Amino acid sequence: LGRTHMMHGEVVHGAARGRALGFPTANLAHDSVGHIPADGIYAGWLVDQSGTRWPAAISVGSNPTFAGVARQVEAHVIDRPDEAPEAFDLYGQRVAVEFVDRLRGMVAYRGPEALVDQMKLDVDQARRVLAGVGSGA
Ligand code: FMN
């Protein structure tokens, strides 16, 4: 990306589908502010309220696999903390999302299985991209 795209906003409840898919996401509220890049999948960072930077695979778009309509920005934190993963809850927090690199465009898959297969690849790719740039902290 030519410049740093960054957004700030509150984490709100989405369709609550992500958890069932095995890829829970922190959905940014629609009144979030900042530079939203074009629809697609990105590697980046989610910065939580305490300032901790989490590596993330970020989705921007209307989730066409599920006939979504509204444009969403949602971040899946990669490699969540092992200890008390259930306590890792970002709902209600004001977070920042920094977009580092574009991975691909948004795709309408035939169903959740194909999407999940691709999300695994996205997460692997995001992990590699972010390991290369460091946390910037
Ligand atoms: N949705 C799509 O329809 N097509 C995609 O190609 C797509 N790629 C994604 C890649 C990643 C890494 C992530 C985290 C999400 C992606 N999504 C994609 C969005 C999912 O459909 C969405 O996270 C899921 O439906 C859960 O939505 P919810 O948070 O509103 O429950």
Side-chain angles (χ1 to χ4, degrees):
L1 299 174
R3 59 178 173 170
T4 305
H5 286 72
M6 183 166 354
M7 296 183 62
H8 295 267
E10 187 182 336
V11 176
V12 297
H13 288 272
R17 201 185 291 121
R19 204 171 291 263
L21 294 174
F23 293 86
T25 55
N27 295 46
L28 289 201
H30 289 288
D31 64 353
S32 298
V33 295
H35 292 290
I36 311 184
D39 285 9
I41 312 306
Y42 295 82
W45 303 97
L46 182 148
V47 188
D48 72 17
Q49 223 161 242
S50 73
T52 303
R53 301 166 65 83
W54 300 97
I58 308 156
S59 168
V60 179
S62 65
N63 302 349
T65 302
F66 303 99
V69 277
R71 192 161 181 240
Q72 308 254 46
V73 177
E74 28 183 300
H76 168 73
V77 170
I78 301 169
D79 303 329
R80 287 157 161 254
D82 287 338
E83 66 282 2
E86 295 311 320
F88 184 75
D89 189 352
L90 295 165
Y91 286 123
Q93 286 199 32
R94 289 198 66 81
V95 302
V97 172
E98 296 175 19
F99 299 87
V100 172
D101 211 355
R102 182 177 170 86
L103 304 180
R104 64 179 176 90
M106 178 62 72
V107 175
Y109 287 100
R110 288 172 159 276
E113 296 82 11
L115 171 60
V116 165
D117 285 347
Q118 180 59 50
M119 286 166 109
K120 289 175 186 159
L121 300 175
D122 295 335
V123 165
D124 287 344
Q125 199 182 345
R127 195 184 282 117
R128 282 196 298 275
V129 165
L130 297 169
V133 299
S135 74

